[in-house]
Amino acid sequence: MHSPLFDACLGLYTASLAAYIGFLYGEKRPMGKIAPMLLGAAIVVHYLALMERSRWMHSVPYNDLYGSMSLFAWLVAVTYFVLEMWYRQPSVGAVVLPFLLVWEIALAIAAPATPPPISPGKGAVLAFHITLGILGYAAFALSFILSLIFILQSRMLRARRPGRAFWRFPPLDVLARMSRGSIWVGLAACSASLVFGFIWDRRVRGSFSLTDPKVIFTFAILVLYGMVLWLSGRAGWRGPRVARFCALCFLLVLFSYTLVNLYLTGFHRYF
Amino acid sequence: MGGRGENSGFRLALVGCNHRSASVENRERMTFTPEQALTAAGELCVRGIIAEAMVISTCNRSEVYGVANGDSEDAAAALESFFIGFHGMEAEQTNGRLYRHSGTEAVRHLFRVAAGLDSMLLGEAEILGQLRDTYGKALERGTTGPVLNRLFQAALEVGKRVRTETELGARPMSVAFAGVKLAESVFGELAGHSALVVGSGAVAAQVIEHLRRREIGELRIVSRTYEHAESLARKFDAQAAGWDYLESLLCWADVVVTSVAGGVTVLDRAMLEKSMAARKGRAVFIMDLGVPRNVEPQAAEVYNAYIYNVDDLGEIVERNRQSREAEIPSAEALVEEHVGKFDAWRNSVEAVRLIEDLRRQLHDERRVFLREQQRILDHLAPEQREAVERLTENLVERILKGPAKRLRHAPGLRERIEELEILRDLFSGREDQN
C-alpha cells in the first residue's frame, strides 16, 4: 500500500535528521531547536500513517510483521523524543535518526501491496501484550544507540583526541543515565508484556506456555538487561565495559524480534 | 544643523585604545577604574561636551562613547581631548595609540566588541558581562540617554546571539579551562562532584578559579607546604590538607589536578589502581599540569581513568582556536545584521525629528504671517478668526502629511532624510543667517 502520509513521514524524518546533523557538525544552535520540532511533526504524521494502514487492513497496526516493525520505529521515535525533552540533549538525535530512517526506508521497500489476512487474536489484553512488547524493544534499541555513543565518546576521551562533534554530545555520566533509563523502561514494558501474554494465553488456551522460544528469549533478555543494571554499579564494570555489554545484549533483542518471530516460535510468528 | 551623509543621524562617536592600538604600559596609563569611568562620563555630560556618555574600561580596552549635539567628527575630537586630559597626558603621547570612530563605524565597533570579535582571546565571554555591568551602572548614574540605551541594548543582544547562534565562544581557549570542560564531558555538571588540587602555584589557582566558576562541589587542596595550600584554600573557599592525606583523597576525588614543580611523581599506576578499587570503579578525570609530568604515563592504562597532560590540553586548545576562527564570518554576519537594524532605527528617529523641525518652522511662519495680516483679521468676527487659524493649521499639516508618510513607509529612507534636510534648511533661512 502506497501512502502519501508515509512519504510525508519519511520526508519529515529526513529533514529532522538533517537538522540534527546541522546541530552536531554545522554548529548552528537554532538547529537544536528545529530538529526536535521536525521529529515531533514526523511522529504525528507517522502515527496518522499507522492509523491509515490499520483502516486499510481493517485490523490493528501490528497485525503483520510490517505493521509491527513500523510501530516499533514509531515507538523508538516517541521514546527518544521523550528522553530528549527530559535530558535536553539534541545531539543524540543525529545518531538515533539514521537507524530510524534506514528502518523506515527498508519498510517502505518491503511494504505489502495487499492487506494481510486478519489475525484471529483480538482484545485489549492482547493489544497491551503486543504494544508493550514492542515498546520494550524500542527502549532497548535506544539504550543500544546510547551505549554506542558512550563507547565512542569514551574512546575519544581516552585517546585524548576529542573530535569536532565530541563537545556536542552529552557527558558520559548523562549518557549512562539515559541508557539506564531506557533499560528500565524496556524491562518494565517487557515484564508487563509477559504478564499480559500469560493472561491472554490462559484465557484463550486455558494454560500458558513457558517453553515457546519467544518466551524463553524474552526471559533471557530480561535477565541480561537486569545484569546490565546490576553491573553498572560494580567496580571494574561501570563505564565503557557495561556499555559494550549493553550493546551486545541488543543483539539478542534483534534475534528475538526477527529470527525468533519468523522461524522459531509457534504462536508468535507472523507467517 | 548637522552635516549630511553618514554622520547626519546621531552624532555618535567613540575614542579609545585596545590591545592592538596600544602596548600594555600605555593601556595601563589610559585605564579607568569603575568609579573613574562613571565620573568621566558624568563630567562629559555636565560640561556639555556631549549629551550622553559612557566609558568602558577592561584590561584590554578603554573606550569613551558619546552622543553629541554637534558634528560627530567634532564630537570625536572633543572626546579625544577629554580622554587625553583625563589621564593627564599630552596629545603627542597618545599619537597613533587611540582610535576614533563615528556614526555607523562606532556602532559596528561596539557590536564587534560585544561579540568578542575584537577581543585578545577571540570570542571570550567575559566582555559581555563587563559591558552589561558598565551599562547598568551608567544607566543608574543617568549618563546614558535614548541613543546610548538603544545602542548598548542592541550590543548586548548581538553578544548574546553570537554566543548562542555560533560557536565563536563555545570551546575552551586556555589549558585550565579545556581541562575543566573535559571533566564536564565525563561528569556533566560539576556541582555534585569533588575535586582535589595537588599544588598551590599560579596554574593550580587558575584551574581552581575555573572549577569554582563551574560550581564544583567539594574542593580540597594539597601542597607540600601546608601553609601554601591553606592560603589558596582560604582564597577559594576550599579545604586544605597535608601531603600525608594525598592517597586517601585520591580515592575521594572525581577530578584530580596536579601541578607540582620539580618533577615530583604525585600519582603512579599502583596508587591509581588502589584508589579506583576504593572508589568502586567510578570514573576519575585527572589533569596533569606539571612540567615535568606529575602522573606516571602507565597510569593512563587504568580502566575508567581519563588522564590529560599539558601537551594533550594544549593540542585541544589549538584545535579550538582554529574552530573559533572558522566561526568569524557567521559572527560578522550577525554583527552586520544588527548594524543594519540600528541604522534603520537611527534613520527613523532622525526622520521623525526632521518632520518635527519642519512642522515647527512652518507653524512659526504661519503665526508670523497671521500677525502680519492682523489688520485684515481684525475685521473678522472671533469665530471667523478662529476658522482662519484652524484652516492655516490644517494647511500646514496637509503640506507635511505627504513627506511624513513617504518617509515612514518608503525604502531609501537615508536619501529621503537628506531631501528633507534640504527642505528644512530652505525653510529655516539658514543661508541668510550665514
Side-chain angles (χ1 to χ4, degrees):
Chain A
M1 176 209 174
H2 178 261
S3 157
L5 273 175
F6 193 78
D7 292 345
C9 154
L10 268 183
L12 282 167
Y13 277 131
T14 310
S16 173
L17 172 63
Y20 277 119
I21 291 173
F23 172 74
L24 201 61
Y25 291 100
E27 305 192 332
K28 299 286 171 279
R29 291 188 188 195
M31 287 292 174
K33 288 182 182 160
I34 294 167
M37 283 183 208
L38 288 167
L39 177 61
I43 287 170
V44 172
V45 176
H46 193 166
Y47 174 78
L48 295 175
L50 284 170
M51 290 299 105
E52 185 189 46
R53 190 164 184 277
S54 277
R55 280 195 297 274
W56 175 69
M57 291 189 300
H58 301 290
S59 181
V60 284
Y62 46 78
N63 182 53
D64 60 347
L65 186 64
Y66 171 88
S68 150
M69 289 172 97
S70 190
L71 181 65
F72 168 79
W74 183 74
L75 283 170
V76 169
V78 171
T79 316
Y80 169 68
F81 189 74
V82 172
L83 267 184
E84 188 187 318
M85 291 299 111
W86 185 265
Y87 286 99
R88 299 267 160 213
Q89 299 289 350
S91 52
V92 178
V95 186
V96 175
L97 265 289
F99 283 89
L100 263 182
L101 210 55
V102 168
W103 191 269
E104 286 291 294
I105 290 168
L107 284 180
I109 294 165
T114 51
I118 296 169
S119 157
K122 278 195 177 89
V125 173
L126 183 67
F128 276 123
H129 165 64
I130 297 174
T131 313
L132 284 169
I134 298 174
L135 172 65
Y137 287 172
F140 291 140
L142 263 185
S143 82
F144 165 73
I145 294 168
L146 290 163
S147 298
L148 286 188
I149 301 174
F150 186 102
I151 294 163
L152 285 174
Q153 287 285 92
S154 167
R155 277 200 179 168
M156 273 197 268
L157 204 57
R158 271 188 88 82
R160 301 181 193 90
R161 291 200 69 81
R164 200 174 172 194
F166 173 87
W167 304 97
R168 280 302 180 89
F169 278 114
L172 295 182
D173 237 22
V174 175
L175 282 170
R177 266 187 282 139
M178 285 170 87
S179 178
R180 282 200 300 274
S182 278
I183 293 173
W184 276 115
V185 172
L187 284 177
C190 269
S191 306
S193 168
L194 260 184
V195 172
F196 280 114
F198 288 143
I199 294 170
W200 191 79
D201 207 11
R202 200 180 167 86
R203 264 191 206 169
V204 174
R205 302 193 309 165
S207 67
F208 52 78
S209 166
L210 286 172
T211 52
D212 182 79
K214 185 75 182 171
V215 177
I216 294 168
F217 272 97
T218 305
F219 271 120
I221 287 168
L222 292 181
V223 169
L224 281 177
Y225 275 103
M227 273 177 72
V228 171
L229 290 180
W230 181 68
L231 288 172
S232 62
R234 311 293 297 177
W237 272 96
R238 64 166 92 215
R241 271 181 203 151
V242 87
R244 277 197 289 273
F245 182 51
C246 179
L248 280 175
C249 286
F250 186 66
L251 293 181
L252 193 67
V253 174
L254 268 185
F255 184 70
S256 168
Y257 193 34
T258 53
L259 294 179
V260 173
N261 270 19
L262 290 173
Y263 303 112
L264 300 180
T265 184
F267 47 88
H268 280 99
R269 64 191 307 168
Y270 282 102
F271 304 107
Chain B
M1 289 302 143
R4 291 185 196 104
E6 183 158 79
N7 299 332
S8 64
F10 306 131
R11 279 68 182 162
L12 175 68
L14 94 86
V15 169
C17 65
N18 65 12
H19 56 281
R20 282 195 203 93
S21 72
S23 65
V24 66
E25 293 80 18
N26 284 306
R27 293 205 303 277
E28 275 168 7
R29 289 195 66 185
M30 293 187 270
T31 193
F32 295 83
T33 63
E35 195 44 50
Q36 278 177 332
L38 290 172
T39 311
E43 258 184 57
L44 277 164
C45 297
V46 169
R47 284 201 218 161
I49 299 171
I50 47 174
E52 301 176 33
M54 198 172 134
V55 177
I56 298 168
S57 194
T58 66
C59 24
N60 285 323
R61 74 181 62 248
S62 294
E63 288 172 349
V64 182
Y65 289 81
V67 179
N69 299 318
D71 188 271
S72 62
E73 281 305 316
D74 297 343
L79 283 181
E80 185 171 335
S81 88
F82 175 84
F83 191 105
I84 295 166
F86 190 89
H87 291 102
M89 295 166 82
E90 297 296 326
E92 299 78 51
Q93 290 175 282
T94 61
N95 267 352
R97 293 183 183 111
L98 289 178
Y99 45 79
R100 276 194 209 180
H101 295 300
S102 45
T104 302
E105 272 314 305
V107 175
R108 183 174 290 114
H109 176 86
L110 176 64
F111 288 0
R112 291 187 83 253
V113 168
L117 284 163
D118 198 50
S119 297
M120 187 184 258
L121 193 66
L122 182 67
E124 55 113 348
E126 273 171 52
I127 186 69
L128 196 59
Q130 287 164 332
L131 276 184
R132 193 176 288 116
D133 287 351
T134 310
Y135 169 59
K137 282 175 188 159
L139 190 68
E140 236 171 63
R141 191 66 73 95
T143 62
T144 60
V147 180
L148 284 188
N149 285 341
R150 181 87 182 197
L151 179 70
F152 276 85
Q153 280 160 12
L156 294 175
E157 197 191 330
V158 175
K160 199 175 160 193
R161 279 193 70 192
V162 165
R163 276 157 191 86
T164 51
E165 293 176 29
T166 76
E167 293 283 306
L168 194 75
R171 293 184 196 151
M173 292 285 276
S174 74
V175 163
F177 189 30
V180 174
K181 284 291 275 182
L182 282 167
E184 280 184 331
S185 68
V186 176
F187 303 111
E189 284 176 13
L190 294 179
H193 293 273
S194 51
L196 169 68
V197 177
V198 187
S200 53
V203 176
Q206 216 183 340
V207 180
I208 294 171
E209 213 175 316
H210 283 292
L211 285 169
R212 274 290 179 232
R213 268 191 221 158
R214 311 305 282 189
E215 296 177 347
I216 186 84
E218 271 191 85
L219 178 64
R220 301 216 176 144
I221 302 168
V222 170
S223 175
R224 281 178 295 184
T225 314
Y226 180 76
E227 289 71 30
H228 292 170
E230 204 179 26
S231 145
L232 201 60
R234 259 201 307 275
K235 193 174 164 193
F236 290 103
D237 190 25
Q239 281 178 289
W243 194 260
D244 302 341
Y245 291 94
L246 183 61
E247 275 204 57
S248 61
L249 287 174
L250 280 172
C251 310
W252 160 85
D254 298 320
V255 180
V256 177
V257 182
T258 64
S259 173
V260 182
V264 179
T265 300
V266 174
L267 189 60
D268 59 27
R269 185 182 173 144
M271 275 168 84
L272 187 58
E273 275 172 345
K274 204 172 142 194
S275 80
M276 287 302 277
R279 48 189 285 114
K280 293 181 180 162
R282 276 184 293 122
V284 65
F285 183 82
I286 299 167
M287 247 187 275
D288 178 4
L289 302 180
V291 179
R293 286 177 287 180
N294 299 141
V295 180
E296 193 185 62
Q298 287 77 17
E301 290 157 21
V302 175
Y303 177 72
N304 224 10
Y306 301 95
I307 304 175
Y308 279 71
N309 62 37
V310 174
D311 284 356
D312 303 328
L313 294 170
E315 264 178 48
I316 291 169
V317 167
E318 176 53 26
R319 280 202 296 274
N320 290 351
R321 189 187 59 75
Q322 288 166 6
S323 298
R324 281 194 182 198
E325 280 173 3
E327 286 293 292
I328 292 175
S330 312
E332 293 281 12
L334 277 174
V335 165
E336 284 312 311
E337 183 191 322
H338 281 266
V339 168
K341 276 186 190 170
F342 191 83
D343 270 351
W345 175 78
R346 187 175 75 153
N347 290 341
S348 68
V349 171
E350 183 68 2
V352 170
R353 198 169 63 81
L354 281 169
I355 291 285
E356 283 308 310
D357 278 359
L358 204 55
R359 176 176 281 119
R360 199 172 50 247
Q361 283 166 11
L362 287 176
H363 277 293
D364 286 349
E365 283 300 322
R366 183 185 63 84
R367 276 189 287 272
V368 169
F369 174 74
L370 287 178
R371 265 202 305 277
E372 284 169 1
Q373 305 303 320
Q374 194 62 45
R375 276 199 304 177
I376 299 167
L377 292 173
D378 284 347
H379 293 294
L380 302 176
E383 309 87 66
Q384 289 170 318
R385 276 205 297 272
E386 259 180 47
V388 169
E389 183 95 11
R390 267 203 312 278
L391 277 172
T392 54
E393 271 177 12
N394 289 345
L395 182 65
V396 168
E397 291 304 321
R398 171 69 69 89
I399 291 167
L400 285 170
K401 195 178 170 186
K405 194 177 171 186
R406 279 195 293 280
L407 265 173
R408 272 197 297 273
H409 301 294
L413 194 58
R414 182 81 256 155
E415 291 71 31
R416 286 174 188 274
I417 287 172
E418 284 170 18
E419 283 167 19
L420 211 69
E421 278 182 333
I422 296 167
L423 192 66
R424 182 181 61 178
D425 290 353
L426 286 173
F427 275 100
S428 70
R430 192 182 180 209
E431 297 304 321
D432 300 341
Q433 286 161 18
N434 289 344

